[in-house]
């Protein structure tokens, strides 16, 4: 890596070396409901609204990962509603708004952004089928198939937020009444079971409802 | 014609010998099919050579176009190099796709990336767009964006505006305290990336290095890759977390 850095520096514009950080530290927070260990898919209608009250992002997703949120997951796939403020950068881009399908494999993160209205009511799913892990919106594949190095794990309903100064206003519902509840599958999406119990966790500041759907996560 | 093109792989190693051979084939070949095939090969060769030269980091080894798929081989001796190389490969895929479409040839629509031992570096085949760039960056756009980031206190060691796929930005940022930077990376990197005109329409990559010159984070974006508006890529060392990597905080402080 150092060998690559030297020639790069030789041909680029050298800029000032400022060491102090003037921008306030970003705050990160998430709230999760999770279950399973042998799930190879999860889905729910997800809808809601959220406002970034300072530079930051808000995210509402369904996810399957190879360890619990309290553990040390190294692989996973999640799809959800993302809204970033302009000038706020993540692995899903800068100022991105839409559906984000993010996969993780051993420290490598890849995020495919799809145009969508933030918070609009759609059935979101991640499922491992024969070809690999895929993300879905309303039953249509929007991303994948991916080889993620695991075949089953934990279903997660996740609220996530980052902010620079003032935290967001956030209210999302997983499985609104009369629509697809938060569910899991262990047979690659052939059959689904509504999740009635799950473990919750959060960094603080969130109000987390209880499954079965409909339940909301707010702050 | 289409069948002929799809049935033959075109190896593009970008060597002088290969280029000469292609030119000779065009001159001696009598059929239109051969001419078209070799024009396509020549176009691909030219773009690969151009991208390798412009990026200048030696991470692209070669590329092979077969039908509508480009397979990129990357020099990736370690994980951070692989992450940076993956961004290079995606930029190359878009550049080739755009050039072929611009020349009226069948565009490529998918891309794969592997290291020189054949190991897949992406975990999937990428969808590739051939849409032409909407607005090209001016020659110093990325350097100016870096200066705007400097006002936010980011130590940008280098910034380059690369004239590929409508303009791409390559940044190297030195950090003294990696964990502090990681925690605030979304804002700090955003202070630079947000200064790139029409940022969502332009590729960029940040190589975040520590005081020893070792990469501690890679964060990039490539429009024209993926099923929608573009694709972001990131890499973090094992156990590291960053506000700039969605999901990397999983497990942090959850109780």
């Amino acid at each position: 890596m150092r060998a690559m850095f030297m020639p790069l520096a030789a041909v680029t514009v050298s800029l000032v070396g400022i060491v102090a950080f003037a921008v306030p530290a970003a705050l990160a927070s998430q709230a999760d409901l999770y279950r399973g260990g042998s799930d190879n898919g999860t889905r729910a209608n997800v809808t809601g609204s959220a406002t970034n009250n300072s530079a930051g992002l808000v995210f509402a997703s369904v996810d399957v990962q190879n360890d619990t949120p309290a553990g040390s997951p190294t692989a996973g796939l999640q799809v959800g509603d993302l809204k970033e403020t302009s000038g706020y950068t993540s692995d899903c881009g800068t100022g991105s708004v839409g559906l984000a399908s993010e996969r993780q494999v051993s420290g490598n993160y890849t995020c495919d952004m799809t145009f969508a209205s933030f918070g609009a009511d759609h059935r979101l799913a991640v499922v491992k089928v024969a070809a690999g892990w895929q993300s879905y919106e309303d039953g249509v594949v929007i991303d994948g198939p991916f080889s993620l190095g695991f075949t089953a794990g934990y279903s997660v309903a996740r609220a996530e937020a980052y902010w620079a100064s003032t935290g967001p206003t956030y209210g999302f519902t997983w499985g609104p009444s009369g629509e697809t509840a938060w569910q899991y599958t262990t047979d690659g999406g052939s059959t689904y079971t509504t999740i009635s119990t799950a473990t919750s966790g959060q960094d603080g500041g969130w109000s987390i409802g209880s499954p079965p759907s409909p339940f909301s996560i707010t702050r | 014609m289409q069948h002929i093109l799809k049935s033959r792989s075109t190896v593009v190693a970008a060597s002088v010998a290969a280029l000469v051979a292609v030119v000779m084939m065009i001159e001696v070949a009598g059929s239109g099919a051969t001419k078209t095939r070799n024009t396509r090969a020549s176009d691909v060769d030219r773009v690969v050579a151009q991208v390798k030269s412009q990026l200048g980091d030696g991470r692209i080894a070669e590329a092979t176009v077969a039908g509508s798929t480009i397979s990129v081989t990357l020099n990736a001796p370690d994980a951070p190099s692989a992450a940076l190389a993956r961004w290079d490969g995606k930029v190359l895929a878009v550049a080739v796709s755009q050039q072929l479409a611009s020349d009226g040839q069948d565009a490529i629509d998918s891309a794969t990336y592997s290291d020189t031992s054949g190991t897949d570096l992406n975990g999937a085949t990428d969808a590739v767009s051939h849409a032409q760039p909407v607005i090209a960056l001016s020659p110093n756009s990325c350097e100016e964006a870096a200066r705007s980031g400097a006002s936010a206190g980011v130590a940008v060691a280098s910034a380059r505006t690369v004239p590929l796929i409508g303009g791409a930005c390559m940044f190297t940022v030195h950090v003294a305290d990696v964990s502090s930077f990681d925690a605030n990376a979304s804002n700090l990197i955003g202070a630079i990336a947000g200064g790139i005109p029409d940022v969502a329409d332009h590729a960029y990559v940040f190589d975040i290095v520590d005081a020893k010159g070792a990469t501690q984070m890679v964060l990039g974006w490539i429009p024209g890759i993926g099923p929608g508006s573009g694709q972001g890529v990131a890499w973090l060392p094992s156990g590291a977390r960053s506000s700039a990597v969605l999901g990397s905080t999983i497990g942090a402080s959850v109780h």
Side-chain angles (χ1 to χ4, degrees):
Chain A
M1 192 62 245
R2 290 170 202 159
M4 291 183 186
F5 174 74
M6 292 308 292
L8 178 65
V11 297
T12 55
V13 175
S14 181
L15 300 170
V16 293
I18 300 172
V19 295
F21 294 152
V23 174
L27 298 173
S29 185
Q30 69 181 52
D32 295 309
L33 285 164
Y34 62 94
R35 61 132 274 132
S38 301
D39 299 354
N40 56 19
T42 188
R43 69 179 184 180
N45 270 77
V46 179
T47 185
S49 62
T51 301
N52 287 300
N53 294 318
S54 62
L57 69 79
V58 284
F59 187 51
S61 71
V62 294
D63 169 88
V64 176
Q65 58 191 50
N66 68 346
D67 199 356
T68 70
S72 300
T74 57
L77 175 65
Q78 61 179 338
V79 60
D81 287 272
L82 173 68
K83 180 166 67 175
E84 298 175 334
T85 56
S86 61
Y88 197 89
T89 297
S90 75
D91 61 320
C92 295
T94 300
S96 294
V97 178
L99 273 182
S101 174
E102 186 209 46
R103 62 187 191 269
Q104 175 197 1
V105 184
S106 301
N108 283 294
Y109 296 79
T110 308
C111 181
D112 287 320
M113 285 302 303
T114 304
F115 295 107
S117 176
F118 177 78
D121 188 359
H122 293 287
R123 191 176 74 194
L124 305 180
V126 292
V127 184
K128 166 76 169 59
V129 297
W133 290 92
Q134 299 185 138
S135 298
Y136 297 79
E137 179 189 21
D138 297 327
V140 176
V141 177
I142 61 169
D143 208 11
F146 304 121
S147 173
L148 300 177
F150 77 112
T151 56
Y154 296 83
S155 296
V156 183
R158 169 168 298 128
E160 194 165 358
Y162 300 82
W163 63 93
S165 55
T166 304
T169 305
Y170 188 107
F172 266 80
T173 298
W174 281 255
S177 180
E179 302 187 60
T180 301
W182 183 37
Q183 299 175 320
Y184 71 91
T185 179
T186 58
D187 57 13
S190 296
T191 59
Y192 284 89
T193 302
T194 295
I195 296 170
S196 56
T197 60
T199 303
S200 66
Q202 63 160 305
D203 296 301
W206 299 90
S207 174
I208 305 174
S210 298
S213 295
F215 64 86
S216 296
I217 300 178
T218 60
R219 70 171 300 133
Chain B
M1 178 75 68
Q2 184 71 8
H3 173 74
I4 294 171
L5 290 174
K6 289 190 174 181
S7 65
R8 175 169 177 166
S9 296
T10 307
V11 176
V12 283
S15 68
V16 173
L19 287 170
V20 170
V22 167
V23 172
M24 290 177 65
M25 288 177 68
I26 293 173
E27 289 177 345
V28 301
S31 73
T34 303
K35 285 183 178 179
T36 301
R37 182 172 63 238
N38 293 328
T39 298
R40 181 176 173 86
S42 180
D43 280 356
V44 173
D45 279 348
R46 178 164 47 84
V47 176
V48 171
Q50 179 187 17
V51 171
K52 290 172 75 170
S53 173
Q54 292 290 351
L55 295 178
D57 53 21
R59 296 191 181 101
I60 295 174
E62 63 176 18
T64 302
V65 172
S68 60
T69 299
I70 183 169
S71 300
V72 185
T73 304
L74 299 164
N75 295 312
D78 52 36
S81 295
L84 291 162
R86 199 160 62 110
W87 182 86
D88 283 13
K90 291 168 190 279
V91 169
L92 172 63
V94 175
V96 170
S97 183
Q98 289 179 350
Q99 186 61 54
L100 292 178
S102 176
D103 291 348
Q105 300 190 43
D106 293 337
I108 62 172
D109 57 19
S110 60
T112 64
Y113 319 90
S114 60
D115 65 16
T116 52
S117 66
T119 301
D120 177 22
L121 296 177
N122 200 50
T125 298
D126 276 339
V128 181
S129 167
H130 57 76
Q132 300 300 307
V134 178
I135 303 172
L137 290 179
S138 60
N140 293 312
S141 293
C142 305
E143 290 83 345
E144 291 169 5
R147 291 189 185 93
S148 69
S151 65
V154 186
V156 181
S158 67
R160 299 171 60 203
T161 305
V162 182
L164 296 169
I165 60 171
C169 293
M170 301 177 74
F171 301 100
T172 301
V173 176
H174 284 177
V175 297
D177 184 337
V178 173
S179 60
S180 294
F181 183 89
D182 283 354
N184 200 22
S186 49
N187 277 331
L188 295 168
I189 293 175
I192 302 170
I196 301 170
D198 302 301
V199 59
D201 295 327
H202 297 286
Y204 59 79
V205 66
F206 288 84
D207 182 6
I208 310 299
V209 300
D210 63 18
K212 297 180 179 177
T215 294
Q216 297 296 328
M217 180 194 300
V218 174
L219 194 72
W221 172 258
I222 312 97
I225 291 288
S229 53
Q231 184 181 83
V233 294
W235 172 83
L236 288 171
S238 178
R241 298 186 173 109
S242 171
S243 65
V245 180
L246 204 63
S248 74
T249 58
I250 293 171
S253 303
V254 173
H255 51 83

